[in-house]
Amino acid sequence: MLRSLLSRSATAAATSAPRQAAAAARPAVAALASRRFNTTAVTASPTPAATTATPALTAESVANSKAAPYLMHLAQSAGPYYALLEIKGRPYHVTKGDMLQVQHLKVPLGAKLVLDKVREIGSASVSLRGAPYVAENLARVEAVVIEHSFSEKRVTVKTKRRKGYKRTHGHRQHLTSLRITEVSVQPLA
Amino acid sequence: MPPRPPLPIPVFKNGVGMFVPQIKRIVFNYCERSGSSRGLIDFFQRDLKQFAEAHPHVEMVVHPRPSKHPLVKGTFISGRQKVLCVKNMSSKEIQEHIKLLTEAADAHAKPAIKGGVVSSTPAVRGIWSPFKQI
């Protein structure tokens, strides 16, 4: 694809003025030639903004907002709470005591995890939705790793009839089970 | 006096109060002479002590089983047993393979849970009805 782009630009320069103007409007060949595809090399393109942790909320910052009484109500209600978590990019709806089966996490058995990507946390009457995540000092979700297992085997069979072609591919997904030990809302300092 | 309602049966949720590893005992069977047991014998000589110290809650038994392929049999708290054949495996491969015993909760492999969550708590926001205002 890169070679065809280069040849197209080379022929355009040799032809009439409108084509030359169009070629000038296109991105420079040098930039395309220096750009590398499907590599992890650093390129000249602007780097995306560094992702920062969800900024912490303080009582001062929300004092005059309309959400303040709702936040207070949420923190003071005894529970139970539910949370919409994000683990490895996938959403899970959890309450305390639930067992969660997620994609394999490289964490030792019995380890305690603090899950910080909380999309939403709420009680029976008030819910707090993050954009995209709730502040870390507000929502507290903890879990314990209870199992690393493999799912039952699923066999994929590929066959082409009358051609002597048959392939069998077995797969067992590597999974981790977590037990949610705490879902709570911390009052703002 | 009216009869008392039955007390709720406590449900054990591993990890909420305390985490209990589910593997109880591991029995190693090997043959002194056969070539397929060489890897397991190598594991006994080099790595078994460290492995046993890393899993103090597991009872480890080494038992010769002459003229047979080497086996690792794990017994779980549920009473179920899982038997792994480790013939012609190296010590490192055996350590990876018996993670199926030490890290799993039960002998039987189950399909992946659809939705990912197993819950017995009632809905926090209640069950939806057309008369309920969100």
Side-chain angles (χ1 to χ4, degrees):
Chain A
M1 185 189 157
L2 183 59
R3 247 183 251 146
S4 62
L5 277 167
L6 287 168
S7 59
R8 250 188 273 147
S9 300
T11 51
T15 53
S16 57
R19 276 204 180 174
Q20 282 177 11
R26 273 184 246 131
V29 172
L32 279 172
S34 67
R35 192 176 155 212
R36 303 171 83 187
F37 296 91
N38 298 327
T39 64
T40 52
V42 175
T43 61
S45 57
T47 53
T51 52
T52 55
T54 318
L57 276 178
T58 57
E60 286 173 30
S61 62
V62 300
N64 296 322
S65 74
K66 288 181 185 174
Y70 296 102
L71 283 174
M72 204 188 306
H73 181 87
L74 184 64
Q76 285 172 356
S77 65
Y81 297 106
Y82 74 92
L84 291 178
L85 297 175
E86 187 181 299
I87 299 173
K88 288 217 166 185
R90 290 175 172 86
Y92 300 94
H93 181 292
V94 298
T95 52
K96 185 183 168 182
D98 290 354
M99 197 198 78
L100 210 57
Q101 195 175 65
V102 300
Q103 299 303 311
H104 177 64
L105 302 173
K106 288 180 185 170
V107 203
L109 208 61
K112 288 185 185 172
L113 307 176
V114 175
L115 305 169
D116 54 354
K117 287 189 176 165
V118 180
R119 289 183 183 177
E120 188 176 313
I121 190 162
S123 65
S125 50
V126 178
S127 297
L128 181 68
R129 191 179 296 173
Y133 305 118
V134 174
E136 284 174 22
N137 63 329
L138 201 61
R140 181 113 187 133
V141 181
E142 289 181 1
V144 168
V145 177
I146 58 171
E147 186 189 11
H148 290 301
S149 63
F150 289 88
S151 69
E152 67 173 12
K153 189 177 255 184
R154 302 179 85 166
V155 179
T156 305
V157 181
K158 295 182 189 175
T159 310
K160 290 195 189 193
R161 56 184 181 178
R162 300 182 294 275
K163 304 299 173 194
Y165 174 81
K166 186 177 178 183
R167 300 286 181 270
T168 302
H169 184 258
H171 176 72
R172 293 188 77 180
Q173 191 66 17
H174 201 171
L175 304 164
T176 296
S177 294
L178 306 174
R179 178 73 66 182
I180 305 295
T181 53
E182 189 191 342
V183 179
S184 63
V185 174
Q186 314 292 314
L188 288 173
Chain B
M1 195 171 160
R4 262 192 237 166
L7 291 169
I9 299 165
V11 175
F12 172 59
K13 290 184 177 176
N14 194 11
V16 173
M18 179 184 148
F19 168 64
V20 178
Q22 297 294 296
I23 181 74
K24 194 164 71 173
R25 184 188 311 116
I26 296 180
V27 176
F28 297 93
N29 289 140
Y30 71 104
C31 172
E32 291 280 0
R33 292 176 61 191
S34 73
S36 58
S37 295
R38 253 183 278 145
L40 189 59
I41 290 168
D42 196 31
F43 171 75
F44 293 154
Q45 288 166 346
R46 287 190 202 173
D47 303 312
L48 180 59
K49 188 174 175 237
Q50 189 185 9
F51 180 76
E53 281 167 4
H55 302 90
H57 51 278
V58 184
E59 179 192 345
M60 309 251 180
V61 179
V62 175
H63 198 273
R65 191 167 178 246
S67 305
K68 300 284 180 198
H69 283 306
L71 297 176
V72 183
K73 297 178 189 171
T75 307
F76 293 84
I77 287 174
S78 58
R80 285 179 172 165
Q81 199 181 46
K82 184 180 247 179
V83 180
L84 303 174
C85 181
V86 292
K87 67 178 186 184
N88 299 319
M89 283 188 187
S90 66
S91 175
K92 205 172 174 185
E93 285 170 347
I94 290 169
Q95 282 185 75
E96 274 301 311
H97 200 49
I98 59 178
K99 280 184 183 177
L100 281 168
L101 303 174
T102 54
E103 291 182 346
D106 201 9
H108 289 235
K110 293 166 195 116
I113 296 164
K114 200 172 178 185
V117 182
V118 177
S119 177
S120 59
T121 50
V124 170
R125 292 178 61 183
I127 305 295
W128 178 86
S129 82
F131 309 108
K132 186 178 171 185
Q133 288 195 357
I134 297 167

